[in-house]
Amino acid sequence: MKNIANFSVDYTQFLNEQGDIVAELPDWTDDVDFLHRAYAMMRLVRCFDDKAIKLQRTGKLGTFPSTLGQEAISVGYGSTTDEGDVIAPYYRDYGAQFWRGVQPAEIYRYWGGNEMGNCYANNPMDLPISVPIGSQVLHAVGVAKAFQYRKQQQAVITTVGDGGASEGDFYEAINVAGAWNLPVVFIINNNQWAISVPREAQSSCETLAQKAFSAGLPGEQVDGNDFIAVHHSVKQAMARAKRGEGASVIEAITYRLCDHTTADDASRYYPEGALDDAWKKEPIERMRKFMISQGHWDNEKEQACLATCKQQVNDAVEAYLKTPVQAPESMFDNLYATLPAALAEQRQQLIEENP
């Protein structure tokens, strides 16, 4: 008997829970303006998120999936992309979407039941939010194959939760990405819960990153509460993809500091004290402490940042609430280039019944 293969999973962290530097920082962290922008974006996401829950609780928004505690992942990966890249998001990726120009009002429209919320004014190439678990990773490899076929030096980023990484779609997507050497980066947002199912009940794998090895892809873990770690690892993976060196899987470790959605009550299944411990590791306070320690931030900047975020969110809410209500027949309008006769008949019937 002989050993024919060995695999290992590396873990990347630059900032610990206290915001202290625990590894040599990448050169790009010398760009203070970039760090400011990233921090402000995480703050905006949290402010947006808080307002969305209030809108839902007052009947002004549909069921909403919060991203509380996971802001560093979406902002971390979104900030690695170029204009020509594409993201195939799931429902906790607001930071990446905002970074790439999606407007908060558009996301409010989406969760308010208005499909025009998917019609992004500033980046029409990005895919809409995918709610069916795991389906977006298959869309991502399709886009990546198109880039490869056209010989375009562009790449795709797609994200999935830890529960989504247990779906057959995920395994199929990473397998074809490996077999075809596609320019796509898979990010697993391991927030420890698939609705009410804990991480340890989902998979016996020591890490979720190691699932990459079954598809011939590199897999690694990052501290998902460390913006610098997320950005650094995804930036390297995107560069690798654009050089024609194939796909990667990155597992970002974090914790869901909220209910699965506003239709959930996580207090029924979260272990006692779990949130108390998780709040000590959350990403925004960690980043704030780091920037203060480096002389990049102070209370005056913090208050100005918060005021700006609140104003942006208030403006988005106002725009959302002023959005005209869609006509009932609009549900048919973006299904086909030419609507089949049976559906055209139904559309006309709906118009006649709702004059």
Side-chain angles (χ1 to χ4, degrees):
M1 183 182 293
K2 62 180 180 180
N3 182 283
I4 60 170
N6 290 290
F7 305 97
S8 64
V9 176
D10 292 331
Y11 176 80
T12 300
Q13 181 191 59
F14 292 101
L15 305 178
N16 66 13
E17 298 171 21
Q18 292 74 41
D20 299 326
I21 300 170
V22 294
E24 183 178 355
L25 295 177
D27 291 342
W28 58 263
T29 57
D30 292 336
D31 186 344
V32 177
D33 289 340
F34 176 76
L35 296 179
H36 283 187
R37 183 185 175 194
Y39 179 78
M41 187 62 72
M42 288 194 287
R43 276 292 185 198
L44 175 62
V45 172
R46 186 162 293 186
C47 189
F48 164 89
D49 194 280
D50 179 70
K51 181 64 74 172
I53 293 172
K54 290 181 170 67
L55 289 170
Q56 191 279 331
R57 299 306 192 205
T58 54
K60 297 175 182 177
L61 198 71
T63 299
F64 178 78
S66 172
T67 189
L68 185 62
Q70 298 148 81
E71 298 88 354
I73 296 175
S74 60
V75 176
Y77 89 72
S79 56
T80 70
T81 58
D82 296 321
E83 184 177 355
D85 298 326
V86 166
I87 67 169
Y90 85 138
Y91 43 80
R92 302 194 202 277
D93 285 329
Y94 312 125
Q97 293 179 295
F98 294 165
W99 190 281
R100 291 179 55 77
V102 174
Q103 299 302 304
E106 292 174 325
I107 304 299
Y108 283 145
R109 289 187 188 107
Y110 174 79
W111 293 115
N114 189 325
E115 285 298 326
M116 292 308 295
N118 285 325
C119 188
Y120 308 137
N122 297 329
N123 50 352
M125 284 183 61
D126 281 354
L127 275 60
I129 294 169
S130 180
V131 173
I133 305 300
S135 58
Q136 67 277 9
V137 294
L138 294 174
H139 306 154
V141 295
V143 175
K145 181 60 183 177
F147 285 160
Q148 183 188 66
Y149 180 78
R150 296 169 181 167
K151 295 180 172 56
Q152 296 168 303
Q153 285 193 317
Q154 296 160 252
V156 185
I157 298 181
T158 186
T159 57
V160 68
D162 43 293
S166 298
E167 293 284 336
D169 290 357
F170 177 78
Y171 290 96
E172 293 166 8
I174 62 171
N175 186 69
V176 75
W180 293 352
N181 198 46
L182 296 179
V184 56
V185 177
F186 300 91
I187 300 173
I188 303 172
N189 177 347
N190 183 356
N191 64 25
Q192 311 305 317
W193 294 93
I195 308 183
S196 59
V197 181
R199 156 68 177 89
E200 60 268 19
Q202 297 175 47
S203 174
S204 63
C205 287
E206 187 174 355
T207 71
L208 300 182
Q210 71 198 62
K211 295 186 177 189
F213 305 148
S214 66
L217 303 180
E220 64 174 297
Q221 269 192 355
V222 300
D223 184 339
N225 293 327
D226 176 358
F227 165 81
I228 296 175
V230 175
H231 181 89
H232 178 73
S233 292
V234 177
K235 185 177 182 179
Q236 290 185 320
M238 286 290 279
R240 180 177 180 272
K242 292 177 183 180
R243 290 195 301 266
E245 297 173 16
S248 305
V249 176
I250 298 172
E251 177 189 5
I253 307 298
T254 184
Y255 202 91
R256 201 184 76 205
L257 298 176
C258 51
D259 298 328
H260 173 67
T261 70
T262 49
D264 176 43
D265 179 7
S267 66
R268 296 188 301 166
Y269 53 83
Y270 271 10
E272 185 176 354
L275 283 179
D276 293 336
D277 182 61
W279 269 107
K280 298 174 184 177
K281 303 175 182 178
E282 67 95 3
I284 293 180
E285 182 65 8
R286 184 184 307 200
M287 186 72 167
R288 188 184 72 86
K289 289 179 177 178
F290 160 70
M291 292 201 303
I292 289 174
S293 72
Q294 300 302 299
H296 302 329
W297 203 250
D298 54 31
N299 187 60
E300 183 178 352
K301 289 185 175 68
E302 179 73 13
Q303 295 308 310
C305 176
L306 289 173
T308 299
C309 291
K310 289 177 181 178
Q311 186 60 55
Q312 287 178 282
V313 169
N314 288 338
D315 291 345
V317 171
E318 183 177 1
Y320 159 62
L321 294 177
K322 288 181 178 179
T323 303
V325 176
Q326 285 187 298
E329 65 271 16
S330 66
M331 70 174 77
F332 295 96
D333 292 346
N334 297 295
L335 297 176
Y336 296 90
T338 302
L339 202 61
L343 292 181
E345 181 181 351
Q346 292 179 34
R347 185 181 187 278
Q348 183 58 37
Q349 182 180 355
L350 188 59
I351 292 173
E352 293 172 357
E353 293 178 354
N354 295 271

